[in-house]
Amino acid sequence: MILSLAMGTVSQSFGILTDPAVLVAIFLGVVIGIIFGAIPGFSATMTIILFTPVTIPFDASVALIFLVSAYGGAVYAGSIPAILINTPGAPGSVVTCWDGYEFTKAGRATYALAASAMASGVAGIIAAAILLLVGPALAEFALNFGPVELFLLAVFALTIIPAAKGQSLLKGLLGGGFGLLIATIGSDPQLAQPRAILGLPLLRSGVSFVVVLIGLFVFTEALFLATQKKIIDTDVNVTDDQRQVSEGIQAVIDRPIEFIRGTFIGAFIGSLPGAGADVANFISYNEAKRWASDPSKFGTGIIEGIIAADSSNNATQGGALIPTLTIGIPGSGSTAALLSAFAIHGLNPGPGLFQRSGVLVYALIFSLFLGNALILVFGLKGARHFGRLSRIPIKYIVPVVIVLAVIGAFAVRNAHLDVLIMVLFGLIGIILVATDYPLVSVVIGVIVGGFAEEGFVQGWIINQSDPIRFLTTSDIAIVLLLLIAFSLGVTLIRD
Amino acid sequence: MRRVSVGSYTIKINTVEIIFPLLVLIFCTIYYIDTRGLPSRSMLYANPILYMTAFFAIAVIALFSIQIDSTRDEYDNATSSMAGFSNDENNRVMRAIWILLLTMVYLVAIRIQFASATAVFLGSVLYVLGEEDWRILTGYSIVLTSILYAVFVFWLNIPL
């Protein structure tokens, strides 16, 4: 019975994928993702946030599949400027520069680009398979989560970010606490009393996390881009050498251990709340270096460096979608942006999503296979053309990004106050980045704040205000407590 | 880094590190004043979060922003990050400040008329970022404003 239901859901999902509008959405999503990802400073998160308002008139399946495809394309394309001009397109491609640019200097950019496309595309497909295997099982398990477990899950998400990001525990907790506090602004869920609305009626419905997200990830980034030096000072000549493309493909096939290790590191790190491609990239590269016969060659232009970096990079996409879809906690800044798109299109990620909207969720997962196959094709055939986008001067990008951020914030509730809040968070973002706080802690604090409060209040009442009963309400709660203690302990020891 | 001498002690305050925790403390104070009259059930969850956040802010200030030395040092090399800026870096920071000011003006102007405010804003920011060719400035502003207006106002019906 359950199996036939599941098969029915899967076949309906395939039905969605055969819709020409969805196929166009995947194609356009990947192309737009690659175009924007190839522009230095334009991250996958920014791409998703800025294109979310444009998807509003479309059906949820078309809109979300478009955004997920753009996400994959943008993550991959960050490596193109990293290889061609030694400037990462996104934080997740920093490591790709180290070996990638050496190939460009040696006249073998096409070889490096082909290996990067091969590693990214295939790793993305493997990570999608991992999501397909793990996601439904975890979603089923998440149905056992009661209010206390959801509250503890929110706490765990906040405590693991500093551990995963390698940043200060105290700063991470301060950012997370600030985010949770921002989420309490508005009418309280019990008595509907206005909390900290400062006389502004709009704030009765709270501070939208989409607005916070736009401020922290788009406006902050735009101001940082404005302070950048001119990036492009060399004109790279990339040849259309098919022999180098074949060698690039073969290089990945010949190094299965580096590739598989990078893919699994990417999928695992991606699945941790707050840790995205930027963290996975470094860990995968370091592991490849640690196990190499001659570690000193890393950074001098060896293909193992690119394979380790780029396989982990795109594998984070499937990994990050696991907690996002199953428990409603984003695995990265990009999936936090996707979460806002889900909310705008009336879906509520978290426990029960696979049951409520299984057809769409499976279609979304299957679209990852198609999207990553397209990344492979575009990467192998056209990376050098997309590379030209790396030469677009930043001065032409910054003004329009700011206007899009303003429109995006306004469009959430058609309110000018949201635009002001967005700018305010943009300024806070600058301070946070300058003083090495994990931005994602604040965002996740705002995102999980709603269900953390609901879980805490319900659990507290159910357990008759007894903290011991509250914390030991179930085996899952105890395991979550241990995980919180473990992540705090690991970060404290490291600090 | 600012220094305050108290007797034989020197208190060093990291003026950049202290900004965020200080802002959080100010926010916590406003939050407390605004919500102190609410029933305890309304604050059952919010109060522990408020006190915990304030505690973290104080701890960050104590650990990262303030340093107390028992010896009076006349001078050390840890100068403020702003003071260490080169001319080029100063120019780039000034660019960001100009853009921020223009954004503030733009936020007021779009309440009056979105299209013209956007066109002027796009041109102004591009000028601040170093574009001086008036044909590019005009073309860029008009073309992008038209696209944005067509997409967001005509197509998506956002009441900008």
Side-chain angles (χ1 to χ4, degrees):
Chain A
M1 174 72 179
I2 293 169
L3 188 70
S4 65
L5 262 175
M7 288 310 288
T9 308
V10 169
S11 63
Q12 285 178 54
S13 307
F14 276 118
I16 289 181
L17 279 190
T18 53
D19 179 352
V22 170
L23 291 175
V24 171
I26 297 173
F27 179 83
L28 277 182
V30 171
V31 171
I32 285 174
I34 294 177
I35 287 173
F36 283 86
I39 299 170
F42 220 102
S43 64
T45 312
M46 281 172 85
T47 308
I48 297 167
I49 294 172
L50 294 179
F51 275 91
T52 297
V54 181
T55 66
I56 291 171
F58 294 99
D59 181 63
S61 56
V62 175
L64 296 174
I65 285 173
F66 166 80
L67 291 172
V68 166
S69 305
Y71 171 28
V75 171
Y76 151 68
S79 298
I80 298 174
I83 291 169
L84 294 181
I85 57 166
N86 201 22
T87 304
S93 303
V94 170
V95 175
T96 310
C97 296
W98 298 347
D99 286 288
Y101 188 57
E102 295 300 320
F103 281 102
T104 300
K105 284 200 290 190
R108 287 181 55 81
T110 309
Y111 169 65
L113 286 170
S116 163
M118 177 76 179
S120 298
V122 181
I125 290 170
I126 293 172
I130 294 171
L131 169 64
L132 189 60
L133 285 174
V134 177
L138 196 60
E140 190 76 27
F141 178 69
L143 290 174
N144 298 316
F145 284 29
V148 176
E149 290 83 357
L150 283 174
F151 168 72
L152 291 174
L153 197 65
V155 176
F156 173 62
L158 291 173
T159 55
I160 200 170
I161 295 168
K165 285 267 193 196
Q167 284 165 308
S168 155
L169 175 65
L170 205 51
K171 286 185 171 181
L173 292 178
L174 176 59
F178 178 62
L180 288 175
L181 202 56
I182 293 292
T184 64
I185 293 175
S187 298
D188 85 88
Q190 286 211 82
L191 305 174
Q193 293 285 331
R195 288 184 304 208
I197 65 165
L198 310 171
L200 301 162
L202 184 77
L203 289 185
R204 272 186 171 272
S205 55
V207 173
S208 164
F209 81 84
V210 182
V211 173
V212 175
L213 201 71
I214 297 173
L216 289 177
F217 284 109
V218 181
F219 194 68
T220 300
E221 197 56 45
L223 290 180
F224 271 111
L225 283 176
T227 63
Q228 275 190 2
K229 279 183 185 173
K230 192 182 169 201
I231 294 172
I232 319 305
D233 46 17
T234 52
D235 194 19
V236 182
N237 182 26
V238 187
T239 55
D240 190 13
D241 184 348
Q242 279 309 308
R243 198 169 50 83
Q244 283 193 34
V245 173
S246 309
E247 284 172 9
I249 296 170
Q250 196 58 43
V252 180
I253 296 168
D254 290 344
R255 291 161 181 83
I257 294 171
E258 285 84 355
F259 171 72
I260 295 290
R261 184 173 48 217
T263 304
F264 278 91
I265 287 174
F268 174 70
I269 298 291
S271 69
L272 298 177
D278 47 347
V279 179
N281 223 236
F282 276 95
I283 294 179
S284 177
Y285 190 86
N286 278 340
E287 283 307 302
K289 197 172 168 180
R290 197 156 68 91
W291 292 97
S293 53
D294 186 2
S296 65
K297 283 188 176 169
F298 276 77
T300 61
I302 62 167
I303 205 68
E304 286 82 355
I306 294 177
I307 294 169
D310 284 358
S311 55
S312 68
N313 199 354
N314 260 54
T316 54
Q317 186 196 16
L321 282 169
I322 295 174
T324 311
L325 296 175
T326 57
I327 51 177
I329 293 177
S332 62
S334 303
T335 42
L338 273 179
L339 208 63
S340 74
F342 272 87
I344 285 168
H345 286 281
L347 275 91
N348 191 12
L353 178 72
F354 276 71
Q355 286 70 28
R356 287 190 306 271
S357 314
V359 176
L360 175 55
V361 174
Y362 278 107
L364 208 67
I365 297 172
F366 293 137
S367 76
L368 290 176
F369 289 94
L370 278 179
N372 279 293
L374 275 179
I375 286 172
L376 187 60
V377 174
F378 286 142
L380 293 176
K381 285 281 168 199
R384 70 195 188 93
H385 303 297
F386 288 117
R388 290 193 185 124
L389 294 161
S390 312
R391 296 181 180 83
I392 295 177
I394 290 294
K395 64 182 177 185
Y396 297 122
I397 295 164
V398 173
V400 75
V401 166
I402 295 174
V403 173
L404 286 171
V406 168
I407 295 172
F410 180 83
V412 174
R413 290 186 284 199
N414 292 343
H416 286 283
L417 181 64
D418 279 337
V419 184
L420 274 177
I421 295 172
M422 182 276 291
V423 172
L424 187 68
F425 273 92
L427 295 177
I428 291 173
I430 291 170
I431 299 165
L432 292 175
V433 173
T435 47
D436 201 26
Y437 282 81
L439 277 186
V440 79
S441 286
V442 181
V443 171
I444 290 187
V446 180
I447 290 174
V448 302
F451 73 75
E453 171 158 22
E454 212 172 287
F456 179 83
V457 172
Q458 282 181 19
W460 195 252
I461 293 167
I462 291 167
N463 292 291
Q464 294 159 348
S465 312
D466 181 345
I468 305 294
R469 264 184 73 177
F470 176 88
L471 292 173
T472 56
T473 193
S474 68
D475 292 343
I476 299 172
I478 295 168
V479 170
L480 283 167
L481 268 180
L482 291 172
L483 286 172
I484 292 166
F486 177 73
S487 63
L488 286 174
V490 165
T491 325
L492 269 176
I493 292 165
R494 193 211 55 211
D495 278 2
Chain B
M1 191 78 82
R2 292 211 178 274
R3 286 176 190 75
V4 180
S5 297
V6 183
S8 60
Y9 292 95
T10 305
I11 302 170
K12 292 177 184 169
I13 301 168
N14 188 325
T15 46
V16 180
E17 279 283 354
I18 206 166
I19 299 174
F20 181 64
L22 212 54
L23 280 176
V24 172
L25 275 181
I26 293 167
F27 174 68
C28 286
T29 310
I30 296 168
Y31 193 104
Y32 173 76
I33 293 167
D34 196 86
T35 57
R36 68 191 157 161
L38 292 181
S40 57
R41 272 180 68 190
S42 292
M43 299 300 289
L44 179 65
Y45 164 85
N47 264 345
I49 298 291
L50 174 66
Y51 299 137
M52 189 190 68
T53 308
F55 168 76
F56 288 143
I58 293 167
V60 168
I61 289 174
L63 286 176
F64 293 93
S65 316
I66 295 177
Q67 199 186 326
I68 300 173
D69 283 351
S70 54
T71 50
R72 275 187 85 129
D73 56 348
E74 295 303 318
Y75 182 82
D76 75 20
N77 291 327
T79 51
S80 123
S81 52
M82 283 299 285
F85 276 7
S86 66
N87 263 352
D88 179 45
E89 283 167 332
N90 266 334
N91 285 341
R92 286 190 275 133
V93 171
M94 280 311 293
R95 251 191 284 171
I97 292 170
W98 266 110
I99 291 170
L100 195 60
L101 291 174
L102 285 170
T103 307
M104 295 301 183
V105 175
Y106 175 57
L107 297 190
V108 177
I110 50 168
R111 283 169 170 258
I112 303 162
Q113 224 283 328
F114 171 75
S116 41
T118 302
V120 174
F121 175 76
L122 287 170
S124 311
V125 175
L126 189 59
Y127 179 76
V128 169
L129 290 171
E131 182 57 66
E132 289 179 352
D133 186 332
W134 66 269
R135 284 163 301 186
I136 293 176
L137 288 169
T138 314
Y140 178 86
S141 304
I142 291 172
V143 170
L144 278 175
T145 304
S146 309
I147 294 170
L148 292 167
Y149 197 82
V151 172
F152 292 102
V153 179
F154 276 145
W155 184 40
L156 297 174
N157 288 320
I158 295 171
L160 285 156

